[in-house]
């Protein structure tokens, strides 16, 4: 499936600390004036700056996506492949994917593995590193802590000091390629829960660190193999056309045989209030959602497809 590119979604967002957050460096620095646990740093715009690594954000998002799917679906591979399920990446040996064709591997993989990848299929989701915005200055603090011995109630380790960020905002983008609308819906649910503080990012989440607010800036869905023709979206190389205000999942671009082979939803689409426009250079079309309200509307249509996917699996 990754040999073609039928659709691509980019969500631009800001992560705003709702309390102290720390994504710490893996080793202690040589500077004695800095805390023992430092924020990860890199060079950005010509100077050293803290940032939120995309790999850390992706790990937190994947873990919560699996939690959501296990809540309404299964935590083990069911006999009915249409049921939603999420495996345990730490214990799954993926032996059931050995010596299988690409389409069989995709069918046998869990709903979340189809988004984030496993040992046999590539991820279709990518998150950029989140860098500080110049609109809201960062505020870094140093705090102290100790580790308590659970048997004796005394100090086991410490005191130690660590660096946290308590104010500012970080800009990042989430990219999703060859996505189904139900996969887009699940990402929307995860971002909603992150904004509500149901889970956090980085160090010491169980001690109150890591909560952030999510500010949705824009969402762009692109169909690189389509053009606008007579007020409709037309897929090049096929006779498929759709209304100009149609949100299309990957299954909409495939033949019925290909959808059944990979277990994609046939005719995966939703109406939207947003109209498609031509991409640069005159090839490809895109739909643009701007601002918090519109991007939430985009995710709402994805969640609608996700719920339909769930109930169709239960009924099968």
């Amino acid at each position: 499936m990754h040999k073609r590119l039928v659709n691509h979604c980019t969500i631009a967002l800001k992560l705003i600390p709702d309390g102290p957050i720390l994504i710490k460096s893996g080793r202690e620095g040589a500077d004695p004036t800095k805390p023992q646990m430092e924020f990860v740093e890199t060079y950005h715009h010509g100077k050293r700056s803290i940032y939120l690594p995309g790999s850390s954000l992706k790990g937190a998002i994947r873990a919560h996506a699996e939690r959501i799917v296990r809540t309404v679906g299964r935590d083990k591979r069911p006999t009915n492949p249409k049921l939603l399920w999420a495996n345990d990446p730490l214990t799954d040996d993926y032996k059931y994917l050995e010596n299988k064709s690409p389409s069989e591997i995709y069918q046998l993989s869990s709903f979340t593995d189809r988004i984030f990848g496993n040992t046999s299929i590539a991820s279709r989701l990518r998150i950029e590193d989140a860098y500080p915005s110049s609109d809201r200055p960062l505020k870094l603090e140093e705090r102290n802590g100790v580790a308590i011995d659970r048997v004796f109630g005394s100090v086991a380790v410490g005191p130690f000091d660590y660096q946290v960020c308590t104010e500012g905002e970080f800009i990042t983008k989430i990219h999703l390629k060859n996505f189904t609308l139900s996969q887009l819906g699940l990402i929307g649910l995860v971002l909603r829960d992150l904004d509500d503080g149901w889970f956090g990012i980085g160090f010491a989440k169980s001690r109150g660190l890591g909560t952030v607010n999510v500010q949705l800036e824009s969402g762009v869905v692109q169909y690189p193999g389509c053009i606008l023709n007579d007020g409709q979206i037309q897929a090049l190389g096929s006779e498929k056309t759709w209304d100009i205000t149609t949100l299309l999942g990957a299954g909409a671009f495939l033949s019925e045989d290909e959808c059944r082979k990979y277990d994609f939803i046939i005719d995966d689409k939703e109406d939207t209030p947003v109209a498609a426009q031509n991409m640069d250079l005159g090839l490809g079309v895109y739909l643009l959602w701007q601002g918090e309200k519109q991007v939430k509307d985009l995710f709402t249509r994805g969640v609608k497809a996700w719920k339909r996917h769930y109930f169709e699996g239960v009924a099968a």
Side-chain angles (χ1 to χ4, degrees):
M1 185 62 212
H2 286 302
K3 293 180 180 177
R4 282 186 276 177
L5 180 58
V6 296
N7 62 4
H8 186 279
C9 178
T10 302
I11 304 295
L13 61 140
K14 291 180 179 177
L15 299 175
I16 303 167
D18 191 31
I21 64 172
L22 168 61
I23 297 182
K24 62 180 184 176
S25 172
R27 56 186 179 183
E28 187 175 336
D31 188 345
T33 64
K34 287 192 171 184
Q36 293 165 306
M37 296 183 188
E38 294 180 54
F39 223 106
V40 286
E41 291 187 358
T42 188
Y43 280 96
H44 180 62
H45 288 167
K47 61 181 181 181
R48 289 193 70 81
S49 168
I50 68 168
Y51 73 110
L52 309 179
S55 57
S56 298
L57 299 175
K58 186 176 181 181
I61 287 175
R62 176 174 189 154
H64 192 69
E66 291 170 341
R67 195 174 298 122
I68 292 174
V69 173
R70 289 191 201 103
T71 301
V72 301
R74 305 287 191 276
D75 58 2
K76 295 179 181 177
R77 188 162 62 91
T79 54
N80 176 4
K82 293 189 176 300
L83 286 174
L84 291 177
W85 70 288
N87 59 351
D88 182 353
L90 298 178
T91 60
D92 196 336
D93 56 12
Y94 294 106
K95 287 187 176 179
Y96 53 90
L97 301 182
E98 293 179 354
N99 302 317
K100 296 291 192 300
S101 67
S103 59
E104 290 173 321
I105 289 172
Y106 192 82
Q107 281 199 7
L108 292 172
S109 295
S110 69
F111 187 83
T112 46
D113 278 357
R114 292 178 183 184
I115 303 174
F116 298 97
N118 58 30
T119 56
S120 298
I121 56 176
S123 170
R124 65 186 61 225
L125 182 140
R126 178 170 64 87
I127 305 178
E128 297 180 11
D129 291 341
Y131 294 106
S133 164
S134 58
D135 296 337
R136 187 179 300 191
L138 296 177
K139 183 178 181 181
L140 299 179
E141 297 179 7
E142 183 177 322
R143 298 193 175 187
N144 301 304
V146 295
I148 301 298
D149 188 303
R150 283 165 176 68
V151 176
F152 301 103
S154 56
V155 175
V157 180
F160 53 84
D161 47 19
Y162 55 97
Q163 186 181 43
V164 295
C165 175
T166 54
E167 290 184 17
E169 60 184 19
F170 298 84
I171 302 172
T172 187
K173 290 180 180 177
I174 297 176
H175 299 273
L176 197 57
K177 67 179 180 180
N178 290 338
F179 64 92
T180 68
L181 298 189
S182 55
Q183 292 170 342
L184 178 65
L186 180 59
I187 299 304
L189 291 173
V190 172
L191 294 180
R192 179 202 64 181
D193 293 351
L194 179 61
D195 183 56
D196 286 344
W198 289 16
F199 71 102
I201 58 175
F203 173 71
K205 294 184 283 292
S206 63
R207 283 179 270 160
L209 274 68
T211 55
V212 295
N213 293 132
V214 179
Q215 185 173 316
L216 301 170
E217 296 291 304
S218 66
V220 181
V221 174
Q222 296 165 301
Y223 313 135
C226 294
I227 58 172
L228 293 181
N229 188 15
D230 291 334
Q232 288 194 311
I233 301 170
Q234 179 183 351
L236 296 175
S238 78
E239 297 179 350
K240 290 187 175 184
T241 59
W242 303 273
D243 189 82
I244 199 170
T245 55
T246 310
L247 175 63
L248 299 167
F253 295 92
L254 307 179
S255 66
E256 290 191 15
D257 286 342
E258 288 175 312
C259 285
R260 292 193 182 92
K261 188 176 178 182
Y262 282 89
D263 199 24
F264 276 93
I265 302 294
I266 298 173
D267 207 19
D268 191 14
K269 64 181 183 181
E270 290 285 337
D271 293 332
T272 82
V274 175
Q277 305 175 58
N278 282 310
M279 290 173 62
D280 287 345
L281 307 183
L283 181 62
V285 299
Y286 74 97
L287 294 84
L288 172 64
W289 289 259
Q290 288 183 307
E292 185 94 10
K293 186 176 180 180
Q294 285 198 2
V295 179
K296 282 187 176 179
D297 180 76
L298 168 64
F299 282 137
T300 300
R301 294 169 197 282
V303 173
K304 185 178 176 183
W306 191 73
K307 289 193 292 186
R308 188 167 59 246
H309 186 166
Y310 168 76
F311 286 115
E312 287 177 355
V314 172

